[in-house]
Amino acid sequence: MAHKIQTGARIILGLIYFVFGAMGLAMQLGLMPMPEPAMPEAAMGFMKGMVGTGYFLPLLKITETTCGFLLLTGFAAPLALVIVAPVTLHILLYHVYLTPGLNNLVLPSVMTIVQIIAMSGYWDVYKPLLARRKKI
C-alpha cells in the first residue's frame, strides 16, 4: 500500500512540474500570453529580477519540465526528485513570504507534502548520500 501512495505522489508531482514547466516555457517562447495577476510589490520585484537575468527563468522551466517528465515516466525518478527538491522548497517559501493569504499556500503545501512522500519511496537510494564516510 505504501508503494502505491509513493508512486501516486511521484506521478502527482510529475504532473505539476511537467504542466507548469511546459506552460512557463510556452510563455517564454511567446506561444502563450503572460498572465497579468495582481502581485504584491515584493513578489513582483522578485519576478522582475528572475526575468531580468535573461537566463534563469527559461532554465528553471526547462528543469521543471524535464524533471516532471522523468517523474511521470519513472526513469531516473530519484535524481529528478533531488533536483526539484530545492525548487519545491523555494516555491513554498516564495508563497509564505511574498504572497499573503492561506489560499496561496494550498498548492505549495501540497507540493511539499507530495515531494516528501515521493522521496520516501527512494530512501534506500538516498541513504548512502547521508552516510558518514571514512576519510580518503
Side-chain angles (χ1 to χ4, degrees):
M1 181 66 170
H3 177 68
K4 288 182 180 182
I5 293 171
Q6 292 159 339
T7 301
R10 176 181 54 82
I11 291 170
I12 290 168
L13 193 65
L15 277 170
I16 291 169
Y17 273 115
F18 186 76
V19 169
F20 286 103
M23 285 174 54
L25 276 176
M27 287 179 219
Q28 291 295 307
L29 296 172
L31 302 173
M32 279 179 66
M34 287 284 237
E36 301 273 340
M39 281 195 214
E41 189 176 328
M44 186 62 87
F46 179 80
M47 291 304 288
K48 283 181 182 179
M50 284 199 330
V51 171
T53 64
Y55 77 91
F56 185 77
L57 210 52
L59 176 65
L60 177 64
K61 295 305 171 184
I62 288 169
T63 302
E64 288 178 0
T65 305
T66 303
C67 288
F69 178 77
L70 293 174
L71 290 172
L72 287 171
T73 61
F75 181 77
L79 176 63
L81 286 165
V82 167
I83 291 170
V84 297
V87 177
T88 302
L89 178 62
H90 178 73
I91 291 168
L92 178 67
L93 294 174
Y94 172 86
H95 287 287
V96 166
Y97 290 103
L98 299 178
T99 62
L102 288 176
N103 59 332
N104 292 326
L105 290 175
V106 174
L107 184 59
S109 298
V110 168
M111 287 176 70
T112 302
I113 292 166
V114 168
Q115 174 93 33
I116 292 167
I117 293 169
M119 289 184 88
S120 73
Y122 298 101
W123 177 245
D124 290 342
V125 175
Y126 301 134
K127 199 172 181 179
L129 297 173
L130 305 172
R132 191 170 197 171
R133 293 181 52 156
K134 295 179 183 178
K135 292 183 181 180
I136 298 176

